[in-house]
Amino acid sequence: MTVGNKSLRVLLIDPWGTNNTSEYLNGLIYGFSGIVELDVFTNYYFNQYVVSSASVKRIFFRTSEKMKVTKKRTFIRGMEYVFGYYKILKTIKNENYDVVHINWLLNYPLDKFFLKEIKKLCNRVVYTAHNVLPHVNGVSAKQDLKVIYGFVDRIIVHGNSVKDELISLFPETSDKIHIQKHGCVLKAPVKASFDKRNAGLAEKINSYNKVFLCCGAVFFNKGIDRLIEIWIENYKDADALLIVGGRQMECYPEYEAQKKIINEIENIVLFDGFIEDRVMDALFDSCTVVVLPYRHASMSGVVFSAAQFSKPIICTQVGALPEYLEDNQDSFLCDNSQEGLKSAMDKTMETNMTDLKKMGENLHNNISKKCDWKTICKGLYTKVYR
């Protein structure tokens, strides 16, 4: 039976829509092609690389997106967020949408107001809870999220463990939840290289047998500090290189204390700040294994970056991550502890390069099968939108 009804009108809201989140939005647009009539409101700088009949309107953060992080940027970004949602409310009033699906909420106090208004105008409101609580200052958002979860009709999460966590914190959501795999469109393998500014890093990478990569947003629950502690205590003289870093998202004293001594360790490279996309691609292309030492997480887009470049993963068993990975086949899964992470690091050090390469290829193939966007969007149509 053919799934889909082009007469079903869906409005998808994703104010983020840049960097790694653009891949998720591209996947939804691609997956819904031919299934529903789709309108999208997203970031001004969203890069659409899939072909679709969807109407994409870029209305969020035209000015603030490229600004340095300051109080002025925060104020301008807040104003742009409000104006963007007022445009959306005006559109919903003039159009007859069957479903309004919100992919990201970025300002919960404001979001409560806008969701209340959207709910008055549309019978079915769907929200994707990529994280039950935000990575940064999550507990402080609990009361706002309780109100938000009360407004929406369906809540999408990316795994059974995330569902369990959501119900434990917000029991009233139990009959609203739909489990949907975090989709992924793996592009053709990319051969990335460092530019002249990073020529020294390329030489350093080539001088080591194995390269461990841990990068992305930096915050306490990411667990980078315990990875660095393990490395300094056990591997600072190993024929292996650890590359860590990214933009710091919160006060993180454990990590900040380590940064003062990292420069003294020959086989650790620190990126302290935002990493450009082409440099990030080169890092993934050059590394041996990707490390996810999370203390707490629901899901991580780094899984798909690793799969893109066919790199195996070391990963603590938190959130939905174990539901996407296969221990000893494409990843080394470990207990969420210092000892567990150390054991997985030892195992990787002992595994030969041929077997690690095969594990990376397995991850690429496994994620491609598990996270197909067409299958995901058909499920959303039949089990959530209708």
Side-chain angles (χ1 to χ4, degrees), residues 251-307:
C251 180
Y252 191 172
E254 297 87 352
Y255 177 62
E256 289 168 6
Q258 290 173 331
K259 288 194 289 187
K260 298 175 182 178
I261 62 173
I262 283 177
N263 290 334
E264 301 173 9
I265 309 298
E266 181 63 26
N267 65 345
I268 300 181
V269 172
L270 171 66
F271 279 86
D272 189 11
F274 177 76
I275 304 174
E276 296 177 2
D277 288 346
R278 53 195 175 88
V279 176
M280 188 75 83
D281 286 346
L283 290 173
F284 274 102
D285 191 43
S286 303
C287 75
T288 308
V289 61
V290 175
V291 189
L292 300 179
Y294 283 102
R295 289 183 171 93
H296 180 272
S298 297
M299 186 51 196
S300 174
V302 178
V303 168
F304 306 107
S305 297

Short mmCIF file of all heavy atoms in Angstrom, two decimals, residues 251-307:
data_model
loop_
_atom_site.label_atom_id
_atom_site.label_comp_id
_atom_site.label_asym_id
_atom_site.label_seq_id
_atom_site.Cartn_x
_atom_site.Cartn_y
_atom_site.Cartn_z
N CYS A 251 30.39 26.99 32.07
CA CYS A 251 31.50 26.96 33.00
C CYS A 251 31.86 25.49 33.27
O CYS A 251 30.99 24.70 33.65
CB CYS A 251 31.12 27.67 34.29
SG CYS A 251 32.44 27.68 35.52
N TYR A 252 33.11 25.16 33.09
CA TYR A 252 33.55 23.76 33.14
C TYR A 252 34.92 23.73 33.81
O TYR A 252 35.94 23.56 33.15
CB TYR A 252 33.59 23.22 31.71
CG TYR A 252 33.76 21.73 31.53
CD1 TYR A 252 33.64 21.19 30.25
CD2 TYR A 252 34.04 20.86 32.58
CE1 TYR A 252 33.79 19.83 30.02
CE2 TYR A 252 34.20 19.52 32.37
CZ TYR A 252 34.08 19.00 31.09
OH TYR A 252 34.24 17.64 30.86
N PRO A 253 34.97 23.92 35.13
CA PRO A 253 36.24 24.09 35.84
C PRO A 253 37.17 22.90 35.71
O PRO A 253 38.41 23.06 35.65
CB PRO A 253 35.83 24.33 37.29
CG PRO A 253 34.41 23.88 37.38
CD PRO A 253 33.81 24.06 36.04
N GLU A 254 36.63 21.67 35.66
CA GLU A 254 37.48 20.48 35.55
C GLU A 254 38.28 20.51 34.24
O GLU A 254 39.49 20.22 34.23
CB GLU A 254 36.64 19.21 35.60
CG GLU A 254 35.89 19.01 36.90
CD GLU A 254 34.54 19.70 36.95
OE1 GLU A 254 34.23 20.48 36.01
OE2 GLU A 254 33.79 19.46 37.91
N TYR A 255 37.61 20.88 33.17
CA TYR A 255 38.26 20.95 31.85
C TYR A 255 39.19 22.16 31.77
O TYR A 255 40.30 22.07 31.23
CB TYR A 255 37.17 21.03 30.78
CG TYR A 255 37.65 21.18 29.36
CD1 TYR A 255 38.42 20.21 28.76
CD2 TYR A 255 37.29 22.31 28.60
CE1 TYR A 255 38.84 20.34 27.45
CE2 TYR A 255 37.70 22.45 27.30
CZ TYR A 255 38.47 21.46 26.71
OH TYR A 255 38.88 21.59 25.42
N GLU A 256 38.77 23.29 32.33
CA GLU A 256 39.58 24.49 32.28
C GLU A 256 40.90 24.30 33.03
O GLU A 256 41.94 24.81 32.61
CB GLU A 256 38.80 25.67 32.84
CG GLU A 256 37.66 26.12 31.92
CD GLU A 256 36.70 27.08 32.58
OE1 GLU A 256 36.98 27.49 33.73
OE2 GLU A 256 35.66 27.40 31.97
N ALA A 257 40.87 23.56 34.13
CA ALA A 257 42.10 23.27 34.87
C ALA A 257 43.04 22.41 34.05
O ALA A 257 44.27 22.59 34.08
CB ALA A 257 41.76 22.57 36.19
N GLN A 258 42.47 21.47 33.28
CA GLN A 258 43.31 20.59 32.46
C GLN A 258 43.95 21.33 31.29
O GLN A 258 45.07 21.00 30.88
CB GLN A 258 42.47 19.42 31.92
CG GLN A 258 42.05 18.44 33.00
CD GLN A 258 41.10 17.39 32.45
OE1 GLN A 258 40.33 17.64 31.51
NE2 GLN A 258 41.12 16.21 33.05
N LYS A 259 43.27 22.34 30.76
CA LYS A 259 43.80 23.07 29.61
C LYS A 259 45.15 23.70 29.92
O LYS A 259 45.98 23.90 29.03
CB LYS A 259 42.81 24.14 29.14
CG LYS A 259 41.59 23.56 28.44
CD LYS A 259 40.79 24.63 27.70
CE LYS A 259 40.07 25.55 28.61
NZ LYS A 259 39.17 26.47 27.88
N LYS A 260 45.39 23.99 31.20
CA LYS A 260 46.63 24.63 31.59
C LYS A 260 47.83 23.69 31.47
O LYS A 260 48.96 24.15 31.34
CB LYS A 260 46.52 25.16 33.02
CG LYS A 260 45.45 26.22 33.20
CD LYS A 260 45.30 26.62 34.66
CE LYS A 260 44.18 27.64 34.83
NZ LYS A 260 43.98 28.01 36.27
N ILE A 261 47.58 22.37 31.54
CA ILE A 261 48.68 21.42 31.46
C ILE A 261 48.72 20.63 30.15
O ILE A 261 49.69 19.94 29.89
CB ILE A 261 48.63 20.44 32.65
CG1 ILE A 261 47.34 19.62 32.63
CG2 ILE A 261 48.77 21.18 33.97
CD1 ILE A 261 47.30 18.53 33.68
N ILE A 262 47.65 20.73 29.36
CA ILE A 262 47.61 19.96 28.11
C ILE A 262 48.78 20.33 27.20
O ILE A 262 49.36 19.47 26.52
CB ILE A 262 46.26 20.17 27.38
CG1 ILE A 262 45.17 19.35 28.07
CG2 ILE A 262 46.36 19.78 25.91
CD1 ILE A 262 43.80 19.54 27.48
N ASN A 263 49.12 21.62 27.15
CA ASN A 263 50.21 22.05 26.27
C ASN A 263 51.55 21.40 26.61
O ASN A 263 52.47 21.39 25.79
CB ASN A 263 50.35 23.57 26.33
CG ASN A 263 49.18 24.28 25.66
OD1 ASN A 263 48.53 23.72 24.78
ND2 ASN A 263 48.90 25.49 26.10
N GLU A 264 51.65 20.85 27.83
CA GLU A 264 52.88 20.18 28.24
C GLU A 264 52.90 18.72 27.82
O GLU A 264 53.94 18.06 27.92
CB GLU A 264 53.04 20.27 29.76
CG GLU A 264 53.08 21.71 30.28
CD GLU A 264 53.07 21.76 31.80
OE1 GLU A 264 53.20 20.68 32.42
OE2 GLU A 264 52.93 22.87 32.35
N ILE A 265 51.76 18.21 27.34
CA ILE A 265 51.67 16.81 26.92
C ILE A 265 51.84 16.75 25.41
O ILE A 265 51.02 17.29 24.65
CB ILE A 265 50.31 16.19 27.33
CG1 ILE A 265 50.02 16.45 28.81
CG2 ILE A 265 50.29 14.70 27.01
CD1 ILE A 265 51.00 15.85 29.76
N GLU A 266 52.86 16.07 24.97
CA GLU A 266 53.22 16.06 23.55
C GLU A 266 52.14 15.44 22.67
O GLU A 266 51.90 15.89 21.54
CB GLU A 266 54.54 15.31 23.36
CG GLU A 266 55.04 15.25 21.91
CD GLU A 266 55.36 16.61 21.32
OE1 GLU A 266 55.69 17.54 22.09
OE2 GLU A 266 55.26 16.75 20.08
N ASN A 267 51.47 14.41 23.18
CA ASN A 267 50.53 13.69 22.31
C ASN A 267 49.06 14.04 22.59
O ASN A 267 48.17 13.21 22.46
CB ASN A 267 50.76 12.18 22.38
CG ASN A 267 50.47 11.60 23.76
OD1 ASN A 267 50.36 12.33 24.74
ND2 ASN A 267 50.34 10.28 23.83
N ILE A 268 48.80 15.28 22.99
CA ILE A 268 47.43 15.82 23.06
C ILE A 268 47.39 17.12 22.26
O ILE A 268 48.25 17.99 22.44
CB ILE A 268 46.97 16.11 24.50
CG1 ILE A 268 46.99 14.84 25.36
CG2 ILE A 268 45.55 16.69 24.49
CD1 ILE A 268 46.52 15.06 26.79
N VAL A 269 46.40 17.25 21.40
CA VAL A 269 46.18 18.49 20.64
C VAL A 269 44.83 19.05 21.08
O VAL A 269 43.82 18.34 21.08
CB VAL A 269 46.18 18.25 19.12
CG1 VAL A 269 45.75 19.51 18.38
CG2 VAL A 269 47.56 17.80 18.66
N LEU A 270 44.81 20.33 21.45
CA LEU A 270 43.59 20.98 21.92
C LEU A 270 43.11 22.03 20.93
O LEU A 270 43.88 22.90 20.52
CB LEU A 270 43.84 21.65 23.28
CG LEU A 270 42.73 22.56 23.82
CD1 LEU A 270 41.48 21.74 24.14
CD2 LEU A 270 43.20 23.32 25.05
N PHE A 271 41.83 21.93 20.54
CA PHE A 271 41.17 23.00 19.79
C PHE A 271 40.26 23.71 20.79
O PHE A 271 39.23 23.18 21.20
CB PHE A 271 40.33 22.43 18.65
CG PHE A 271 41.11 22.09 17.42
CD1 PHE A 271 41.73 20.86 17.30
CD2 PHE A 271 41.25 23.00 16.39
CE1 PHE A 271 42.45 20.53 16.17
CE2 PHE A 271 41.97 22.69 15.25
CZ PHE A 271 42.58 21.44 15.14
N ASP A 272 40.64 24.90 21.19
CA ASP A 272 39.89 25.64 22.20
C ASP A 272 39.00 26.68 21.52
O ASP A 272 39.37 27.84 21.37
CB ASP A 272 40.85 26.31 23.19
CG ASP A 272 40.13 26.90 24.39
OD1 ASP A 272 38.93 26.60 24.54
OD2 ASP A 272 40.75 27.65 25.15
N GLY A 273 37.82 26.25 21.06
CA GLY A 273 36.92 27.15 20.35
C GLY A 273 36.27 26.45 19.18
O GLY A 273 36.45 25.25 18.95
N PHE A 274 35.51 27.21 18.44
CA PHE A 274 34.77 26.67 17.29
C PHE A 274 35.72 26.09 16.25
O PHE A 274 36.74 26.69 15.93
CB PHE A 274 33.91 27.77 16.66
CG PHE A 274 33.18 27.33 15.43
CD1 PHE A 274 32.05 26.54 15.52
CD2 PHE A 274 33.62 27.71 14.17
CE1 PHE A 274 31.36 26.13 14.38
CE2 PHE A 274 32.94 27.31 13.02
CZ PHE A 274 31.81 26.52 13.14
N ILE A 275 35.38 24.92 15.73
CA ILE A 275 36.18 24.27 14.70
C ILE A 275 35.46 24.39 13.36
O ILE A 275 34.31 23.96 13.23
CB ILE A 275 36.42 22.78 15.03
CG1 ILE A 275 37.07 22.65 16.42
CG2 ILE A 275 37.31 22.13 13.97
CD1 ILE A 275 37.20 21.20 16.89
N GLU A 276 36.10 24.98 12.37
CA GLU A 276 35.49 25.16 11.05
C GLU A 276 35.14 23.81 10.44
O GLU A 276 35.80 22.80 10.69
CB GLU A 276 36.45 25.91 10.13
CG GLU A 276 36.76 27.33 10.58
CD GLU A 276 37.77 28.01 9.66
OE1 GLU A 276 38.18 27.38 8.66
OE2 GLU A 276 38.14 29.15 9.94
N ASP A 277 34.09 23.81 9.61
CA ASP A 277 33.60 22.56 9.02
C ASP A 277 34.69 21.81 8.26
O ASP A 277 34.82 20.59 8.38
CB ASP A 277 32.42 22.85 8.08
CG ASP A 277 31.16 23.23 8.84
OD1 ASP A 277 31.13 23.02 10.07
OD2 ASP A 277 30.22 23.75 8.21
N ARG A 278 35.49 22.52 7.45
CA ARG A 278 36.50 21.83 6.64
C ARG A 278 37.60 21.25 7.51
O ARG A 278 38.16 20.19 7.20
CB ARG A 278 37.08 22.75 5.58
CG ARG A 278 37.64 24.07 6.09
CD ARG A 278 37.86 25.05 4.93
NE ARG A 278 38.28 26.35 5.41
CZ ARG A 278 39.54 26.69 5.62
NH1 ARG A 278 40.49 25.79 5.41
NH2 ARG A 278 39.86 27.89 6.05
N VAL A 279 37.92 21.94 8.63
CA VAL A 279 38.91 21.38 9.56
C VAL A 279 38.32 20.17 10.27
O VAL A 279 38.99 19.14 10.45
CB VAL A 279 39.34 22.45 10.59
CG1 VAL A 279 40.30 21.85 11.62
CG2 VAL A 279 40.00 23.63 9.88
N MET A 280 37.03 20.25 10.65
CA MET A 280 36.37 19.12 11.30
C MET A 280 36.35 17.91 10.38
O MET A 280 36.62 16.78 10.80
CB MET A 280 34.95 19.51 11.69
CG MET A 280 34.24 18.48 12.55
SD MET A 280 34.83 18.47 14.25
CE MET A 280 33.85 19.80 14.94
N ASP A 281 36.03 18.13 9.11
CA ASP A 281 36.04 17.03 8.14
C ASP A 281 37.42 16.39 8.06
O ASP A 281 37.55 15.15 8.01
CB ASP A 281 35.61 17.53 6.76
CG ASP A 281 34.13 17.81 6.66
OD1 ASP A 281 33.38 17.38 7.56
OD2 ASP A 281 33.71 18.47 5.69
N ALA A 282 38.44 17.22 8.03
CA ALA A 282 39.82 16.70 7.95
C ALA A 282 40.18 15.90 9.20
O ALA A 282 40.87 14.88 9.12
CB ALA A 282 40.80 17.85 7.74
N LEU A 283 39.70 16.34 10.37
CA LEU A 283 39.96 15.62 11.60
C LEU A 283 39.29 14.25 11.58
O LEU A 283 39.91 13.24 11.95
CB LEU A 283 39.46 16.43 12.80
CG LEU A 283 40.26 17.70 13.15
CD1 LEU A 283 39.55 18.49 14.24
CD2 LEU A 283 41.68 17.36 13.58
N PHE A 284 38.03 14.20 11.17
CA PHE A 284 37.34 12.92 11.08
C PHE A 284 38.00 12.01 10.05
O PHE A 284 38.12 10.80 10.26
CB PHE A 284 35.86 13.12 10.74
CG PHE A 284 34.99 13.38 11.93
CD1 PHE A 284 34.56 14.67 12.25
CD2 PHE A 284 34.58 12.34 12.76
CE1 PHE A 284 33.77 14.91 13.35
CE2 PHE A 284 33.78 12.58 13.87
CZ PHE A 284 33.37 13.87 14.16
N ASP A 285 38.41 12.58 8.94
CA ASP A 285 39.04 11.80 7.89
C ASP A 285 40.38 11.21 8.34
O ASP A 285 40.76 10.12 7.94
CB ASP A 285 39.23 12.67 6.65
CG ASP A 285 39.64 11.85 5.43
OD1 ASP A 285 39.05 10.77 5.22
OD2 ASP A 285 40.54 12.29 4.69
N SER A 286 41.08 11.94 9.21
CA SER A 286 42.43 11.55 9.61
C SER A 286 42.48 10.67 10.84
O SER A 286 43.50 10.01 11.09
CB SER A 286 43.28 12.80 9.87
OG SER A 286 43.31 13.66 8.76
N CYS A 287 41.43 10.66 11.65
CA CYS A 287 41.50 9.94 12.92
C CYS A 287 41.33 8.43 12.72
O CYS A 287 40.90 7.96 11.67
CB CYS A 287 40.45 10.47 13.89
SG CYS A 287 38.76 9.96 13.56
N THR A 288 41.66 7.69 13.77
CA THR A 288 41.49 6.24 13.79
C THR A 288 40.17 5.86 14.43
O THR A 288 39.46 4.96 13.97
CB THR A 288 42.63 5.58 14.59
OG1 THR A 288 43.88 6.05 14.10
CG2 THR A 288 42.55 4.06 14.47
N VAL A 289 39.82 6.55 15.51
CA VAL A 289 38.62 6.22 16.27
C VAL A 289 38.05 7.50 16.88
O VAL A 289 38.79 8.45 17.18
CB VAL A 289 38.94 5.18 17.38
CG1 VAL A 289 39.96 5.73 18.36
CG2 VAL A 289 37.69 4.71 18.10
N VAL A 290 36.73 7.54 17.05
CA VAL A 290 36.03 8.69 17.64
C VAL A 290 35.59 8.31 19.05
O VAL A 290 35.05 7.21 19.26
CB VAL A 290 34.81 9.10 16.79
CG1 VAL A 290 34.02 10.21 17.46
CG2 VAL A 290 35.27 9.53 15.39
N VAL A 291 35.80 9.21 20.02
CA VAL A 291 35.50 8.91 21.42
C VAL A 291 34.32 9.76 21.88
O VAL A 291 34.32 10.99 21.73
CB VAL A 291 36.71 9.18 22.33
CG1 VAL A 291 36.44 8.66 23.73
CG2 VAL A 291 37.98 8.55 21.76
N LEU A 292 33.32 9.10 22.48
CA LEU A 292 32.15 9.77 23.07
C LEU A 292 32.11 9.40 24.56
O LEU A 292 31.45 8.42 24.94
CB LEU A 292 30.86 9.34 22.38
CG LEU A 292 30.76 9.62 20.88
CD1 LEU A 292 29.43 9.11 20.34
CD2 LEU A 292 30.89 11.10 20.60
N PRO A 293 32.78 10.18 25.41
CA PRO A 293 32.88 9.83 26.84
C PRO A 293 31.77 10.42 27.70
O PRO A 293 31.99 10.78 28.85
CB PRO A 293 34.23 10.44 27.21
CG PRO A 293 34.33 11.67 26.36
CD PRO A 293 33.59 11.36 25.07
N TYR A 294 30.56 10.53 27.17
CA TYR A 294 29.45 11.21 27.83
C TYR A 294 29.18 10.69 29.25
O TYR A 294 29.20 9.48 29.48
CB TYR A 294 28.17 11.04 27.03
CG TYR A 294 28.05 11.90 25.81
CD1 TYR A 294 28.29 11.39 24.54
CD2 TYR A 294 27.68 13.24 25.91
CE1 TYR A 294 28.17 12.18 23.41
CE2 TYR A 294 27.54 14.03 24.79
CZ TYR A 294 27.80 13.50 23.54
OH TYR A 294 27.67 14.28 22.42
N ARG A 295 28.89 11.61 30.14
CA ARG A 295 28.30 11.27 31.43
C ARG A 295 26.78 11.12 31.28
O ARG A 295 26.15 10.29 31.91
CB ARG A 295 28.59 12.36 32.46
CG ARG A 295 30.04 12.43 32.91
CD ARG A 295 30.19 13.50 33.99
NE ARG A 295 31.51 13.47 34.61
CZ ARG A 295 32.55 14.20 34.21
NH1 ARG A 295 32.41 15.04 33.19
NH2 ARG A 295 33.72 14.10 34.82
N HIS A 296 26.20 11.99 30.47
CA HIS A 296 24.75 11.96 30.24
C HIS A 296 24.48 12.51 28.84
O HIS A 296 25.08 13.50 28.43
CB HIS A 296 24.01 12.79 31.27
CG HIS A 296 22.52 12.81 31.07
ND1 HIS A 296 21.88 13.72 30.25
CD2 HIS A 296 21.56 11.99 31.57
CE1 HIS A 296 20.58 13.47 30.25
NE2 HIS A 296 20.36 12.44 31.05
N ALA A 297 23.59 11.85 28.12
CA ALA A 297 23.17 12.32 26.80
C ALA A 297 21.94 11.54 26.38
O ALA A 297 21.69 10.44 26.89
CB ALA A 297 24.28 12.12 25.76
N SER A 298 21.15 12.12 25.49
CA SER A 298 20.05 11.38 24.89
C SER A 298 20.51 10.73 23.59
O SER A 298 20.31 9.55 23.35
CB SER A 298 18.87 12.33 24.62
OG SER A 298 18.37 12.86 25.82
N MET A 299 21.15 11.55 22.75
CA MET A 299 21.69 11.07 21.48
C MET A 299 22.80 12.03 21.09
O MET A 299 22.96 13.10 21.68
CB MET A 299 20.57 11.03 20.42
CG MET A 299 20.97 10.43 19.08
SD MET A 299 21.75 8.83 19.24
CE MET A 299 22.50 8.66 17.65
N SER A 300 23.60 11.69 20.10
CA SER A 300 24.68 12.57 19.65
C SER A 300 24.83 12.49 18.14
O SER A 300 24.95 11.40 17.57
CB SER A 300 26.00 12.18 20.32
OG SER A 300 27.07 12.93 19.78
N GLY A 301 24.86 13.67 17.51
CA GLY A 301 25.08 13.73 16.07
C GLY A 301 26.47 13.30 15.66
O GLY A 301 26.72 13.02 14.48
N VAL A 302 27.40 13.23 16.63
CA VAL A 302 28.76 12.79 16.31
C VAL A 302 28.76 11.35 15.80
O VAL A 302 29.62 10.96 15.01
CB VAL A 302 29.67 12.94 17.55
CG1 VAL A 302 31.08 12.45 17.25
CG2 VAL A 302 29.72 14.40 18.00
N VAL A 303 27.78 10.56 16.22
CA VAL A 303 27.66 9.19 15.71
C VAL A 303 27.60 9.19 14.19
O VAL A 303 28.26 8.37 13.51
CB VAL A 303 26.42 8.50 16.29
CG1 VAL A 303 26.12 7.20 15.56
CG2 VAL A 303 26.59 8.26 17.78
N PHE A 304 26.86 10.12 13.63
CA PHE A 304 26.66 10.14 12.18
C PHE A 304 27.88 10.72 11.46
O PHE A 304 28.17 10.34 10.32
CB PHE A 304 25.38 10.90 11.85
CG PHE A 304 24.20 10.35 12.59
CD1 PHE A 304 23.63 11.04 13.64
CD2 PHE A 304 23.69 9.11 12.27
CE1 PHE A 304 22.57 10.51 14.35
CE2 PHE A 304 22.63 8.57 12.96
CZ PHE A 304 22.07 9.27 14.01
N SER A 305 28.59 11.62 12.13
CA SER A 305 29.85 12.10 11.54
C SER A 305 30.87 10.97 11.49
O SER A 305 31.58 10.82 10.49
CB SER A 305 30.41 13.27 12.37
OG SER A 305 29.53 14.38 12.35
N ALA A 306 30.93 10.17 12.55
CA ALA A 306 31.83 9.02 12.54
C ALA A 306 31.44 8.02 11.46
O ALA A 306 32.29 7.49 10.74
CB ALA A 306 31.83 8.35 13.91
N ALA A 307 30.12 7.78 11.34
CA ALA A 307 29.64 6.85 10.30
C ALA A 307 29.93 7.39 8.91
O ALA A 307 30.27 6.63 7.99
CB ALA A 307 28.14 6.61 10.48
#
